[in-house]
Amino acid sequence: LTNLYDITLFIFTMSYGEEDNISSININEKDKNLKEDDEKNQFNKNVNVLPIDNILNNDDITGHKSLRSHSLYQMPDQLFDAVQKAELYLYSSNDFIIDLQVHEDNDLINFEKKRDLFDILLTKWEASKKFNVFNYSINCMYKLLDGQYNLSIQLNTERGVKRRRPLRFRALDEPFCPYRFNFTKLSPFEVLVYLGCTDRIDEDYSIEQNIIAINASPIERGHSLIIPSVNKKLPQIITPQAIRMATEIMLMTKNKDCHVLYNSLLGQASVNHLHLHFMPWPYESDLIYRKFEHIFKNLYFIRPPNWFIHCFCIQLESLQKLDEFLNTINCVANELLENKIAHNFFFTRAPPIRITGLNREEINITQHPSLVTLYIFPRKSVTGAKPPTNFNPAALELAGCMTAYTYRFFENADEVGVIRIVNDEALLDEDIIQTIIKKINISLNN
């Protein structure tokens, strides 16, 4: 009996101890969650965007009563938690700036302080450093290359060594693969804001779907990723919604140095999950000073040697022409995709497009309108993943903003050598370009 009593007492004691340990673990987890919430509140402090609690309790804002949408594409729990802790950036067409030069002149007169999307992102981007979400600290240098294209080049050795290795792709329309790296795995401190447009209540603009997150391997301070409909797990194929988002973000940004970039698969994209880059670059692309030839309607074109690679150009002249601007971009993108032509997009601000005069005319851009302009580069397909330290011409590089990942390349680079690499890896034959132009013409006429 004594032995049986001892055994019973031992079992009771062991069970009580296990339960006590579980309680301790739960308490520790609770403390950990409270600590993370405090850190997140500090992360969002002093940022001019609306917290989700304020949105849900604001009767003046309709259509955003719940973070969950009625979409059939719900987010994974990890991503849902990340987006739920982010900030909602609401905007409307009233926030759009068509001519940035006029806006700057008015600001000097009115002294009216207005929120700027990139400034908000940069504040949150800097605050996220303490959560160790970046692969390295920005430490780069620049120089200008002599030559007719006024190329700028950046040295960023850590990006070449510490960035995630680019994935290998074999097709322009390769389907999304959930087993490869994608943006549904973002942590709470990587999501900067999620976007909500009060002018539209369609599914693609429901509040939880469209986010801006940090780029863990940045090229410059504030380098972020625009991820449309992140919960839909779309492949890296440009969509009308992504084009509209890129345009609207450019229209809300007051910084002339900010650009939106897109790389297709086989066009130096490194992740097959729909995304665009939003980032500054301290030097303007020399494309904005070039003469173009008129193709049709609002579509323009430039070819070598006036620029070192073929390039379509579309410019937004007024808010009334926004739909026409978007339709032309969609038409060009669809033709490139249907004809299996890899491509890169470069959104920027530029003076009005010229079709007369010299091939290059440097003007005082402060005396001319500064309009949202898109340059589209059709290019050779690049299959497979190249070493990350190589010079790989993507959207930024084809606009004349070069990147170097080794000091040797940066020190020895000249315009002739850079253009030779672009010719080998990106420049399409003239007959292919002419065929594409004819097909785009037919499509725009229909």
Side-chain angles (χ1 to χ4, degrees):
L1 290 175
T2 302
N3 291 339
L4 181 60
Y5 174 81
D6 290 341
I7 292 171
T8 304
L9 180 62
F10 173 75
I11 293 173
F12 174 78
T13 304
M14 184 176 67
S15 300
Y16 179 82
E18 289 175 348
E19 185 175 350
D20 188 57
N21 286 339
I22 293 172
S23 298
S24 299
I25 291 172
N26 290 337
I27 291 172
N28 291 336
E29 286 295 323
K30 184 176 181 181
D31 290 341
K32 180 181 178 183
N33 292 336
L34 288 173
K35 182 179 179 182
E36 287 182 353
D37 289 342
D38 290 340
E39 289 177 339
K40 191 62 180 178
N41 290 335
Q42 181 67 23
F43 176 65
N44 291 325
K45 187 174 69 175
N46 297 329
V47 179
N48 188 22
V49 285
L50 296 174
I52 186 62
D53 292 339
N54 291 352
I55 294 301
L56 298 181
N57 295 327
N58 191 339
D59 295 333
D60 296 331
I61 300 175
T62 59
H64 300 299
K65 294 297 183 184
S66 173
L67 186 59
R68 289 283 190 185
S69 75
H70 298 293
S71 170
L72 297 177
Y73 304 91
Q74 295 295 350
M75 288 184 285
D77 289 341
Q78 178 180 342
L79 181 61
F80 177 76
D81 292 340
V83 174
Q84 192 174 36
K85 292 180 180 179
E87 299 289 343
L88 172 62
Y89 183 91
L90 286 176
Y91 68 92
S92 71
S93 57
N94 293 329
D95 299 315
F96 296 163
I97 304 168
I98 295 297
D99 182 357
L100 193 56
Q101 188 57 47
V102 171
H103 177 81
E104 289 178 349
D105 292 342
N106 290 340
D107 269 1
L108 291 175
I109 297 172
N110 299 329
F111 296 100
E112 182 182 355
K113 186 177 181 180
K114 300 178 182 178
R115 68 176 186 174
D116 177 53
L117 176 59
F118 182 72
D119 287 345
I120 292 172
L121 292 174
L122 186 58
T123 300
K124 296 176 74 65
W125 191 93
E126 292 287 353
S128 65
K129 287 181 178 179
K130 65 181 179 181
F131 301 108
N132 297 319
V133 294
F134 295 103
N135 293 329
Y136 52 83
S137 298
I138 293 288
N139 182 21
C140 54
M141 63 177 70
Y142 294 86
K143 71 176 183 179
L144 298 175
L145 302 182
D146 294 331
Q148 62 174 319
Y149 300 116
N150 295 300
L151 307 179
S152 57
I153 186 168
Q154 178 207 69
L155 174 64
N156 190 340
T157 57
E158 289 182 305
R159 178 173 165 85
V161 175
K162 297 183 179 180
R163 71 178 293 202
R164 179 185 41 77
R165 188 177 181 85
L167 300 177
R168 179 184 295 271
F169 305 111
R170 293 183 174 84
L172 192 64
D173 54 356
E174 193 168 313
F176 176 88
C177 178
Y179 304 108
R180 283 183 154 188
F181 174 81
N182 62 78
F183 301 117
T184 64
K185 300 176 173 62
L186 293 173
S187 71
F189 302 119
E190 291 180 283
V191 180
L192 300 177
V193 299
Y194 56 100
L195 302 175
C197 181
T198 58
D199 289 345
R200 290 181 299 280
I201 57 173
D202 53 284
E203 179 185 301
D204 283 341
Y205 280 84
S206 57
I207 64 174
E208 88 283 16
Q209 295 184 344
N210 307 308
I211 67 174
I212 300 180
I214 62 112
N215 187 328
S217 299
I219 293 176
E220 253 294 354
R221 289 178 63 246
H223 184 180
S224 307
L225 299 176
I226 303 166
I227 310 174
S229 295
V230 61
N231 56 318
K232 290 186 177 180
K233 303 177 184 178
L234 300 172
Q236 184 66 355
I237 299 173
I238 199 70
T239 64
Q241 184 214 352
I243 292 170
R244 178 179 284 275
M245 279 187 65
T247 302
E248 292 180 346
I249 287 172
M250 285 297 300
L251 285 170
M252 290 187 288
T253 305
K254 303 174 187 176
N255 190 332
K256 287 182 179 179
D257 293 333
C258 285
H259 314 287
V260 174
L261 319 174
Y262 167 78
N263 301 314
S264 75
L265 296 183
L266 310 188
Q268 300 296 347
S270 60
V271 179
N272 189 16
H273 189 176
L274 182 57
H275 68 285
L276 303 92
H277 297 261
F278 185 37
M279 58 169 288
W281 186 266
Y283 299 97
E284 60 203 14
S285 168
D286 209 59
L287 261 174
I288 69 174
Y289 299 116
R290 300 284 164 164
K291 181 178 71 173
F292 284 74
E293 57 185 272
H294 185 226
I295 298 294
F296 185 72
K297 292 185 177 179
N298 59 343
L299 182 63
Y300 299 83
F301 190 72
I302 191 171
R303 66 184 77 235
N306 292 343
W307 192 246
F308 56 85
I309 192 168
H310 303 97
C311 174
F312 293 100
C313 180
I314 310 102
Q315 191 169 74
L316 180 59
E317 299 173 348
S318 68
L319 192 57
Q320 291 72 28
K321 295 184 178 181
L322 177 58
D323 287 340
E324 182 183 356
F325 176 80
L326 297 174
N327 290 338
T328 300
I329 299 172
N330 286 318
C331 175
V332 175
N334 289 338
E335 287 299 329
L336 293 175
L337 185 62
E338 288 180 8
N339 289 275
K340 308 297 182 185
I341 303 294
H343 46 280
N344 307 96
F345 285 15
F346 182 82
F347 285 87
T348 190
R349 289 276 182 172
I353 298 171
R354 288 190 306 108
I355 58 174
T356 60
L358 300 175
N359 288 333
R360 182 186 185 277
E361 288 185 9
E362 187 162 353
I363 60 175
N364 185 348
I365 57 176
T366 62
Q367 298 177 359
H368 294 79
S370 181
L371 307 174
V372 171
T373 306
L374 171 61
Y375 301 104
I376 301 178
F377 306 101
R379 46 94 49 79
K380 286 181 182 176
S381 294
V382 180
T383 56
K386 294 202 168 186
T389 54
N390 277 22
F391 169 73
N392 298 318
L396 192 63
E397 289 77 11
L398 298 183
C401 310
M402 307 298 167
T403 51
Y405 301 136
T406 64
Y407 184 80
R408 181 178 180 181
F409 182 82
F410 178 79
E411 186 68 16
N412 298 323
D414 59 18
E415 185 177 276
V416 173
V418 168
I419 300 305
R420 185 183 300 117
I421 295 174
V422 173
N423 288 345
D424 291 342
E425 299 190 8
L427 185 65
L428 286 170
D429 293 338
E430 189 67 31
D431 57 342
I432 296 176
I433 292 296
Q434 288 304 119
T435 301
I436 291 296
I437 291 176
K438 289 178 181 178
K439 290 184 177 181
I440 291 173
N441 252 325
I442 294 172
S443 181
L444 287 173
N445 270 304
N446 292 336

